[in-house]
Every structure is written in C-alpha cells, then in structure tokens.
Amino acid sequence: MGPSWIGDMIMAQSLYKFLVSRNPEIEIHVVAPPWSIPVLKRMPEVGRAFELPVAHGEAGLGKRWALGRSLRREGYQQAIVLPRSLKPSLIPFFASVPVRTGFSNQWRAGLINDERPLDTEYLNQTVKRYVFLGLDGGEGQLPSIPKPQLDIDTYNLSATAERLNISLEAEIVALIPGAEYGPAKRWPAAYYAELASRLVGVGLQVWILGSEKERELGDVVSASANHPNVINLCGKTSLVDVIDLLSIAKVAVTNDTGLLHVAAAVKTHVIGIYGSSSPEFTPPLTRTKDVFYLGLGCSPCFSRECPLGHFRCMREILVDEICSSVITVLGGPGNSGDGKNMKSSLDQQGSTSSGALNG
C-alpha cells in the first residue's frame, strides 16, 4: 500500500529495491493514487500498479472493499502498508492477505497482524521507516539503504521538448519554487526570480518546474526575471515529463517538495532549501547534493505557514549562497561549464544588484 505524496512515493522505491535485492524472484505490486501510476512504471522493481480510485480524504469504504475483493485472486503472501493511518490497512484485510505488515496503531488492531513498533529515534527518516517494514519480523537492524533511481524515457524527453519548444542543448538549471504542503516550505518567489536573473545572465537556461497549482507562482518568477531563457513550464507537463526533463538538468534548486526527490532519483545535482521541515527527516537520497538549512531554534516546526510570522528560516538563506552553490557545481569535474568565468560574472552582477533580497 503506497503513500499519497510524490516525495514519499519516490522514497518508497528504496523499500522495493531492498526487497528485490533480498529475493530476486519476488513480485511487487503497489496500490497507489492515480497520479502515481505512471511514476511506478518508471520503477523496474514494481511488477504491477493498481489504481486506488479514492480521492484524498475520502473514506471510500465501498471502493476499498471492491478493490480488496478483486485482489483476492492474486494470492498475495504479504502486504506491507506504508501509511500509518487506518484506511490504507483496509484493502489488504479485504483482500485476505495472510500477513499484513505495518507500524503499530491501536485503531488498526486486527487489520495489521504483523505489527512493528515505531522507534522514532532509530527510525528518524521516512525512508528508514519504509525499509524497516521490509525486514523479517525478528530483525531489528537496518541494512544499507538503496537509493531511488527512476528510469528515463528518452523518446518522451525528445517529444516533450519538441512540444514545449525548448532546447535540450543548453546548460539547464531547474528551479522548483512550489511546495504543495504550504508556504512555510517555500523559499521566497522574489529570491527565485533574482537567482534566475543571475543564472541567465551568465548564459544558462532556467526551467521553472511544477504542477498546474504552481503555474501562477512560476509566472511570478519568470515575469520578475524578465528574460526569454527563464521558461515557466509549471502546468505544461505531466509528472513523467518532469522526470525526463529533470534528468538532463545540471542542477535543481528546490524546496523540500516531491520534485526534490524526483531530481535526486534521476541523478541531477540537488540544491535543497529547507525551512519549516528538516533535512534530517527527508533528505535528498543522493550523493550529489547541497543542503541549505539554518536550524533555527524554532525549526523544524512542520507548519504550513510560519507560526511566528517572521519566516526567518527561509528569508535568511541568501540568493548569493544559492547562486554560488549552483556555479560551484557547474564548474566542478564532469561539467562542461566554465565555473570560474561564471563566478566572476555573477560577482559583478551581485555587486550592482539591489541588496534588498540579500541583506
């Protein structure tokens, strides 16, 4: 039973990879929200994906019962229920799966019959909790956790670029300014716009990525940057299109949101910006990353909006810092960009631009 958020679904691949590494003959099927089915098809460990036809927050008991009954014929030996809430545990019960594994929850007594204790200090990351549920009941020691890695469809990449009339030849930096959870997880749009202006000023192409819900936010960033090489693609792509587009970006500058984990899973260098959430709990699962997190006394609050009103956790992460990180990555080994010349040009830009954003 898969999770409901994009980032969590990507992190769940670590569990699938672990299960397959233990038993290559295993067959994994995932019950998941409709939006995630194409993403699961990019995970070679997943044999089949079943759509859960229930809206977010909907009880849908009849739909869950019907799906569970239809899955009885599959003859599953075990169900692993990743969400900790009641409703996801109903379908394996209705499907008569003999072993139903999940974390202990008094509301799921009987529905989960292979209960695991949740030690929040030891299992201090979402991905650790997922992989822990893949251990045999008597095991308590986590293995080395495999990192998610999504398949890329080069045909779809080319078709998407042609449809959007964008070039795949330039050096591309992806900006991901949205976060569906709430504004407390979003580095200010004005900062993203300033960053975009600086990056296109040294010859880079900037793509703004996100869903239809972020289209207006993307418009704000692109309009403020006011350059033809700052391209707002929010709402113009499917999620699998974004997977393929991110795979050719040199760097992704992103809030702690689902696309951060997508970027990590396609081996793009991630510059992750954290405010109300914690990079200790949901870090980018990649070796190629830079994480910015101030760790203020009020952080992480995990709130949707800043409860104190000052939003220092994001406002005090400066454009200069993020921009310098991007250029360092582009000038590093294995990249064709001339990082030294870019750095010099950006320093000149920074000396003449307004200090309102960076002070």
Side-chain angles (χ1 to χ4, degrees):
M1 297 298 302
S4 299
W5 295 90
I6 295 173
D8 289 355
M9 187 63 77
I10 300 299
M11 289 185 279
Q13 191 187 12
S14 292
L15 167 63
Y16 311 150
K17 292 172 78 73
F18 167 67
L19 292 172
V20 170
S21 71
R22 276 201 154 184
N23 181 3
E25 302 303 316
I26 204 170
E27 186 169 350
I28 299 172
H29 296 178
V30 180
V31 176
W35 61 261
S36 67
I37 303 300
V39 178
L40 289 166
K41 291 180 180 177
R42 298 298 188 91
M43 300 180 182
E45 303 81 17
V46 177
R48 293 177 67 185
F50 292 94
E51 181 177 317
L52 176 61
V54 178
H56 185 69
E58 178 187 357
L61 293 179
K63 296 176 182 178
R64 295 176 195 274
W65 181 84
L67 178 57
R69 293 281 293 182
S70 72
L71 293 177
R72 285 189 177 186
R73 62 177 175 266
E74 300 293 336
Y76 295 117
Q77 296 171 305
Q78 182 183 16
I80 299 176
V81 183
L82 296 184
R84 294 164 55 196
S85 53
L86 171 65
K87 289 179 288 187
S89 61
L90 293 170
I91 291 174
F93 179 77
F94 294 148
S96 299
V97 182
V99 179
R100 303 182 297 276
T101 302
F103 286 113
S104 301
N105 182 331
Q106 61 177 329
W107 302 107
R108 307 197 297 186
L111 299 175
I112 299 296
N113 59 9
D114 177 25
E115 292 186 313
R116 306 293 175 84
L118 176 55
D119 181 341
T120 56
E121 290 190 9
Y122 180 58
L123 302 176
N124 60 351
Q125 294 179 347
T126 297
V127 68
K128 291 180 180 179
R129 296 177 184 184
Y130 290 168
V131 173
F132 182 80
L133 291 178
L135 297 174
D136 291 336
E139 295 179 285
Q141 188 68 34
L142 281 171
S144 175
I145 295 177
K147 293 177 172 56
Q149 184 170 358
L150 299 173
D151 288 343
I152 305 303
D153 184 337
T154 55
Y155 176 81
N156 181 64
L157 173 61
S158 298
T160 300
E162 183 176 356
R163 174 174 61 82
L164 297 173
N165 193 28
I166 55 177
S167 171
L168 302 180
E169 303 302 321
E171 281 203 309
I172 298 155
V173 176
L175 303 186
I176 302 168
E180 186 173 346
Y181 183 76
K185 293 180 75 173
R186 299 176 194 151
W187 199 46
Y191 290 23
Y192 272 107
E194 173 70 11
L195 176 63
S197 295
R198 294 194 194 186
L199 295 177
V200 295
V202 294
L204 298 167
Q205 187 170 118
V206 173
W207 292 346
I208 306 169
L209 298 174
S211 69
E212 178 62 37
K213 295 177 182 178
E214 279 90 44
R215 185 191 289 264
E216 185 175 342
L217 178 60
D219 284 340
V220 169
V221 174
S222 59
S224 298
N226 192 27
H227 194 287
N229 282 341
V230 179
I231 305 169
N232 180 20
L233 300 178
C234 295
K236 300 178 182 179
T237 57
S238 68
L239 185 50
V240 290
D241 294 339
V242 173
I243 290 172
D244 295 330
L245 291 172
L246 276 172
S247 74
I248 64 162
K250 298 289 186 180
V251 185
V253 180
T254 172
N255 304 323
D256 176 21
T257 188
L259 294 188
L260 174 148
H261 299 284
V262 171
V266 296
K267 307 308 178 188
T268 295
H269 190 104
V270 172
I271 296 177
I273 306 175
Y274 289 76
S276 64
S277 59
S278 167
E280 296 297 320
F281 188 56
T282 53
L285 299 178
T286 176
R287 293 184 180 88
T288 56
K289 63 186 174 187
D290 295 293
V291 171
F292 288 81
Y293 177 59
L294 297 181
L296 303 179
C298 55
S299 301
C301 67
F302 297 108
S303 297
R304 294 180 183 271
E305 298 187 18
C306 177
L308 302 178
H310 55 62
F311 200 39
R312 288 178 50 212
C313 62
M314 283 296 201
R315 286 194 307 104
E316 294 181 4
I317 296 175
L318 306 182
V319 176
D320 285 342
E321 298 174 89
I322 303 299
C323 196
S324 178
S325 182
V326 172
I327 299 308
T328 298
V329 173
L330 293 176
N335 287 308
S336 59
D338 188 341
K340 186 177 292 187
N341 289 341
M342 285 185 182
K343 182 71 167 60
S344 177
S345 297
L346 285 166
D347 287 343
Q348 293 176 20
Q349 290 184 39
S351 66
T352 58
S353 64
S354 168
L357 297 179
N358 299 328

